[in-house]
Every structure is written in C-alpha cells, then in structure tokens.
Amino acid sequence: MSSSSHKGSSGRIGVLGGSARYTGAPYYAAMASLKVGADLAFVFCAEEAAVPIKCYSPELMVASVYNAAEFDRSVRAMADAKSGELVDMEAIEKDQERLVNKMVSEVTTLFDRMHVLIIGPGLGRCPLVLKATAKIISLAKERNLPLVIDADGLHLLTLEENADLVADYEGVVLTPNAVEIKRLTQTLGRNYAKIHPEGDLNTLDGEELSMTSFDRATAGNIIVKKGHHDILFTITGRTHTQDRGISVKRGNMLCEEEGGLKRSGGLGDILSGCVGAFVAWNRILSRQTNGMNLSHEDLLLSCWSACCVTKKATRVAFMKKRRSMTAPDVLEEIGPVVDKMTDGITHATDSAER
C-alpha cells in the first residue's frame, strides 16, 4: 500500500457465478478478495441472484449478465424438440446462440477493468450458462487475463467439448477439493486423450519427466488441491523445434498451516477469493516491471500465500466460535491475519514514505 495509490490500484477482482439457487458463494469469494486487500470486486451473476447479492453488501458491484428463467426455458424447449415434439429446432438454436452471445458480451466488455476473473462460485450447471462460460474462458486466454476456476467451473472442464480449454495456459489456477480433483484426473485426462490421441509422454528419460493425458490437459495451470494440507502443483511441457525434444518442468508447494476443525459451507469460496486477490497482485507487479512477466514460480508462491491466509483465518475464527463458526466469521479474520503476516513489510513501507 502507498499514499500515492488510487482506487483500483490494489486489485480489481471479477467473480463470475451466482445462479438463481446459489447466491452466497459469489458473495464470499468477492468479499474475501476485498478483505485480503483488493480495492474493487465485480460480481457477474443471474438476474435472479443480483438483488440478493447486492443486499448482502454495498461493497460489491453486481451486474446481472443473464436471466436464469429465460435460459431454462430455452433448455427445456431444446429437450422437447429432441424428444420429437413439433417445434422449430432452428429457431431454438438461434435463440440459444443469442442468449449465450449476450451473456458473453456482458462479461467480456469489462475485461479491461479486471486484473483477474474468478469463475465458478455458485455458477450452477445450466448447459447454456456453461457454454457461455467456456467462451468467456477462451476469450480471457486471448486477452491474457488471469483466471481462478473453482466449483462448477471445474465441472465445466470435465465436459468432453472442453477437454483442452485450459491446456498450456499459465494464467489459470484451479482450486479443486478431494472429490473434484479425482473427477478431474479421471475425466479431463480421458477426454483430452480423445482429441489428442498421441498418448502419454512416458517415453522420456526418467519418471519425473513423463506427462499423462491429465498433465497435458492442465499443462501450465497451477492446481491447488484443497485438504487438511493444501497441495499446490504445476507442470509444463515444451516441445523444442530444433530437435523435437520435450522438456518437462514441475513445481510443488505444500501449505502446512492448520485450519479450523469445522468445515463450514463457503470456505472454498473464500479461498478462491483470496487466491484471486493474490493473483491480481501478481499481475499488477508484472505490469509495474515494464511488462516483464514474473516467473511461474512467483504465481505459485502467490497461491501458496493465499492458502496460508485462508487456513490461518479459519483457525482463528474456529478458536473464537468453535462449533458455531460460519463463513462470515472467517471473513472477519482475514484482514487481521494479513496484517500480522505482513507486519514487517507494512512497517518498512510506512518508514520509507515518512
């Protein structure tokens, strides 16, 4: 932080999620990013979720980017058409394309205002929403916008048509829990192998240099496997044009901070928000160094720091509230935890400015 900072210079976070049924998850993600220290948080959600989320906090800038009832009607109409009912299939397809493109446009027009986009908290699994979200991810990659993908966003990656959606993109962080990582490794790798049938790269010298289909489907990504201890890992494989050889590089970190003993709903959303804030700071620092990209190891360290903040905040909240601890209690502890973790840095900055 600095006295010369302006609104937004400490991070502008976007959250794509929030369906008619799930309104709490995007709130927790967005608020966690603010509690960590980001300046602004946008929430892109269903029209039916916008008012509830706005009522949770005036700090959030909430934009409805689609109407869930309209999407659901279109999905049902397509199901009826496929079952043989006499309806105009072409008209339904055009209507769905219009709905999807409108949602995509509502989000992507604000890309320039975001340092990172968190995708998945409360997103739901409406097929049209997922189709639009996949397009948003593709466009974010083209714009080099960092992404944090969680919850229903991870389900999106298990769909066969999205098997190579995030492959070779070093600006994305995946945050699966134990169940989600199992589903990803089983489904994403298999689907990727169908469209890239060259097989696992196990012919390299040494087991540490091999790459499975799952590795290739998530090449360049940072994966945060949530659990008792959060495990962070990344793998990149590059083909050399001269000798057509392949070099494989792995990175691993372990967050051994102890969290609270209660696993309340919303804690995963809080982590995604914390990760989003740290990823945004990584992007800001990269821009401040004359556009020079920070190393992938720096981004991995940023994610590890976010895991530490979340674990510590959860632990403090649990020690105070015990069995009655809920996600809002954890939100309130994030600020003090960050202050304690950065105490020396803050004092040094204050002294320098004086």
Side-chain angles (χ1 to χ4, degrees):
M1 292 186 292
S2 169
S3 59
S4 62
S5 299
H6 58 82
K7 183 172 64 176
S9 61
S10 290
R12 299 184 296 272
I13 316 298
V15 178
L16 174 57
S19 56
R21 177 175 294 183
Y22 305 113
T23 59
Y27 162 77
Y28 288 133
M31 284 303 299
S33 70
L34 295 180
K35 293 291 187 179
V36 168
D39 285 342
L40 301 172
F42 305 85
V43 176
F44 306 101
C45 62
E47 183 179 329
E48 292 84 343
V51 171
I53 297 173
K54 287 180 180 179
C55 292
Y56 296 155
S57 173
E59 298 293 333
L60 306 180
M61 291 172 284
V62 183
S64 58
V65 295
Y66 73 99
N67 182 282
E70 190 175 18
F71 272 46
D72 289 342
R73 280 195 297 270
S74 184
V75 171
R76 287 196 298 269
M78 179 61 75
D80 291 341
K82 290 181 179 179
S83 66
E85 293 193 13
L86 297 177
V87 293
D88 189 342
M89 178 78 77
E90 184 177 353
I92 296 174
E93 290 176 345
K94 287 183 178 180
D95 182 59
Q96 290 193 346
E97 183 178 5
R98 174 186 64 83
L99 293 173
V100 166
N101 289 339
K102 182 176 184 296
M103 177 179 168
V104 172
S105 176
E106 292 285 347
V107 177
T108 56
T109 52
L110 291 176
F111 272 0
D112 289 339
R113 300 182 64 181
M114 291 180 274
H115 293 115
V116 65
L117 179 61
I118 302 168
I119 296 176
L123 185 67
R125 298 189 178 183
C126 171
L128 290 184
V129 172
L130 295 180
K131 184 175 181 180
T133 302
K135 287 190 173 184
I136 291 168
I137 291 174
S138 294
L139 292 171
K141 289 166 53 182
E142 291 179 9
R143 300 280 287 275
N144 201 31
L145 177 66
L147 301 171
V148 178
I149 303 181
D150 186 36
D152 291 322
L154 297 173
H155 168 73
L156 168 72
L157 300 182
T158 66
L159 303 180
E160 189 169 345
E161 61 268 25
N162 300 320
D164 57 356
L165 188 59
V166 295
D168 299 316
Y169 185 47
E170 296 188 358
V172 65
V173 180
L174 311 181
T175 58
N177 58 29
V179 174
E180 290 165 338
I181 190 64
K182 182 178 180 180
R183 187 179 301 123
L184 279 172
T185 53
Q186 291 178 345
T187 308
L188 181 56
R190 182 176 66 246
N191 291 340
Y192 186 88
K194 290 180 181 178
I195 57 177
H196 299 280
E198 57 268 27
D200 295 351
L201 304 180
N202 292 324
T203 59
L204 304 174
D205 294 333
E207 182 180 349
E208 73 280 0
L209 295 181
S210 66
M211 289 183 71
T212 66
S213 294
F214 173 74
D215 291 334
R216 291 186 291 129
T218 57
N221 305 169
I222 290 176
I223 300 178
V224 179
K225 181 184 174 183
K226 297 176 288 191
H228 176 61
H229 291 152
D230 294 336
I231 303 171
L232 298 82
F233 57 95
T234 183
I235 182 170
T236 55
R238 305 189 190 283
T239 302
H240 305 295
T241 55
Q242 292 182 346
D243 57 5
R244 302 188 66 181
I246 298 173
S247 61
V248 177
K249 184 176 182 181
R250 296 178 184 270
N252 297 278
M253 294 191 76
L254 178 66
C255 175
E256 296 184 276
E257 290 289 342
E258 294 290 337
L261 299 184
K262 187 181 179 186
R263 300 293 185 264
S264 303
L267 298 186
D269 305 307
I270 289 175
L271 175 62
S272 68
C274 291
V275 171
F278 277 88
V279 170
W281 291 339
N282 183 276
R283 181 177 178 83
I284 292 169
L285 287 173
S286 178
R287 287 179 171 178
Q288 290 176 349
T289 53
N290 299 319
M292 180 178 65
N293 288 328
L294 298 177
S295 70
H296 205 49
E297 288 78 7
D298 291 321
L299 184 57
L300 186 64
L301 179 60
S302 296
C303 296
W304 176 84
S305 300
C307 291
C308 292
V309 168
T310 307
K311 288 287 190 182
K312 283 178 176 287
T314 304
R315 179 66 176 174
V316 173
F318 177 76
M319 294 301 292
K320 291 181 178 180
K321 299 290 186 174
R322 308 296 292 182
R323 292 183 183 274
S324 68
M325 186 199 82
T326 55
D329 300 318
V330 179
L331 283 177
E332 292 307 309
E333 301 300 336
I334 291 176
V337 163
V338 174
D339 282 344
K340 189 173 182 179
M341 290 175 63
T342 60
D343 186 55
I345 300 174
T346 303
H347 287 169
T349 303
D350 292 341
S351 300
E353 291 190 353
R354 285 196 293 269

